[in-house]
Amino acid sequence: MTKGVKICLAAVIVIFLAAAAAVILMSLRTGQHIAVIEQNGEIIYRIDLDKETDREFTVTSPDGGQNTICIKDGTICVSEADCPDKTCVNTGILRNEGTPIVCLPHKLIIRFADENGG
Amino acid sequence: MKTKRLAELSLLTAAALVVFIVELRLPDLSSVPGVKLGLANIFTVYAVYRFSARETFLMVLSRVLLGALFSSNFSAILYSLAGAMLCLAGMLLLRKVIPQRFMWLCSIIGAMLHNTGQMAVAVAQMRSLTPLMWYPKLIIAGCIAGLFTGLCAQHVVDRLTPGNKRKADKK
């Protein structure tokens, strides 16, 4: 094993462990109840999931793509979308910080609000 | 000689494309976009250690462009292009540091760079830092996928290198 290999190997292990720690930390932070919906980097909705009544509404992106967002029993999910990959629908309900619901083609993000309200 | 190289590269590109398209048919492994085995990377890692930088670059570029064409998913082309190019640049630099015996290590770093490139495009496209939430998961997935594809390429190269115990079967 040359020195270069050792350095690379050590770097990979450190990065891997750091990533694992970050994933665990993020999945531990649950219990937030303010969800924000972002489109094109701007917040278009702020929703308090504890107080919100069950409803469905549609968000249209500037290029005409549509995502139907469903709020039910304090959870939020994308129930329908006309994007090609359907990642946003397959993500299911918003559970923790580490797994935002994102529709890349429509530039739509649903995530929990930051501590400082942003 | 030149024609032979060209034929070899075309064959590799074609094989990588087939694997790429077959992999597209498999269901997503995770709700995080970008998490996949990246089997086509086996061919990239192999090419990095067997061909010149220019030849590998041409192979990867045509694989990415044709892959987008065949899968008719052009919205993803920026992601795959950024990922593939960053990955390739990193591996081409590292092949001087990491000997062939440790190819899998090069592949892991390549996979992580690939995901880093995609992350950068996601952040730029969404104009939001939220996709960074996926970054740790992508890094972990990249390590595992990179190790797997790297070992695959390693075995191929070992068998094709003359002087090894197990000589290549007739190619």
Side-chain angles (χ1 to χ4, degrees), chain B residues 149-169:
Chain B
T149 56
L151 285 175
C152 288
Q154 180 104 58
H155 281 294
V156 174
V157 167
D158 285 351
R159 275 161 179 68
L160 289 180
T161 310
N164 257 12
K165 262 189 296 182
R166 292 189 61 168
K167 281 223 173 112
D169 304 323

Side-chain angles (χ1 to χ4, degrees), chain A residues 4-85:
Chain A
V5 174
K6 278 185 191 157
I7 293 171
C8 290
L9 190 60
V12 166
I13 291 170
V14 168
I15 294 171
F16 183 83
L17 291 178
V23 169
I24 293 167
L25 280 180
M26 280 199 283
S27 64
L28 286 179
R29 287 179 49 170
T30 49
Q32 293 131 304
H33 50 94
I34 309 276
V36 292
I37 303 179
E38 263 181 53
Q39 189 176 55
N40 254 322
E42 281 163 38
I43 294 174
I44 52 173
Y45 291 98
R46 288 178 64 88
I47 296 164
D48 189 334
L49 292 175
D50 285 351
K51 292 176 190 146
E52 197 65 34
T53 48
D54 295 358
R55 65 186 172 117
E56 261 188 20
F57 58 97
T58 301
V59 176
T60 308
S61 75
D63 49 8
Q66 295 194 324
N67 299 71
T68 305
I69 294 165
C70 174
I71 299 171
K72 197 172 177 243
D73 302 330
T75 62
I76 185 165
C77 69
V78 176
S79 54
E80 258 180 81
D82 58 1
C83 53
D85 55 14

Side-chain angles (χ1 to χ4, degrees), chain A residues 1 4-5 8-9 12 15-16 19-20 22-23 26 38 40-41 87 91 97-100 102 104 107-109 111, chain B residues 31 33 79 94 97-99 101-102 104-105 108-109 112 122 125-128 130-131 133-134 136-137 139-140 143:
Chain A
M1 236 194 238
V5 174
C8 290
L9 190 60
V12 166
I15 294 171
F16 183 83
V23 169
M26 280 199 283
E38 263 181 53
N40 254 322
T87 301
T91 306
E97 267 197 325
T99 325
V102 177
L104 290 174
K107 301 192 169 70
L108 184 85
I109 298 174
R111 60 173 171 87
Chain B
S31 61
Y79 292 92
L94 280 171
V97 184
I98 300 176
R101 213 152 53 83
F102 295 100
W104 51 272
L105 187 57
I108 293 178
I109 299 176
M112 294 204 289
Q125 284 230 313
M126 308 289 282
R127 282 177 229 158
S128 156
T130 310
M133 296 290 188
W134 291 328
K137 283 183 187 166
I139 287 288
I140 291 176
C143 280

Side-chain angles (χ1 to χ4, degrees), chain B residues 48-59:
Chain B
V48 163
Y49 276 87
R50 302 281 285 198
F51 293 95
S52 74
R54 197 176 139 263
E55 286 166 333
T56 317
F57 170 76
L58 286 175
M59 189 207 119

Side-chain angles (χ1 to χ4, degrees), chain B residues 48-111:
Chain B
V48 163
Y49 276 87
R50 302 281 285 198
F51 293 95
S52 74
R54 197 176 139 263
E55 286 166 333
T56 317
F57 170 76
L58 286 175
M59 189 207 119
V60 171
L61 187 65
S62 36
R63 208 267 294 149
V64 168
L65 294 180
L66 287 174
L69 189 68
F70 290 164
S71 63
S72 66
N73 192 357
F74 277 100
S75 60
I77 198 170
L78 261 182
Y79 292 92
S80 35
L81 209 56
M85 287 310 143
L86 200 62
C87 165
L88 183 62
M91 290 204 293
L92 286 173
L93 288 175
L94 280 171
R95 74 174 173 182
K96 298 205 174 70
V97 184
I98 300 176
Q100 196 173 299
R101 213 152 53 83
F102 295 100
M103 223 177 186
W104 51 272
L105 187 57
C106 190
S107 168
I108 293 178
I109 299 176

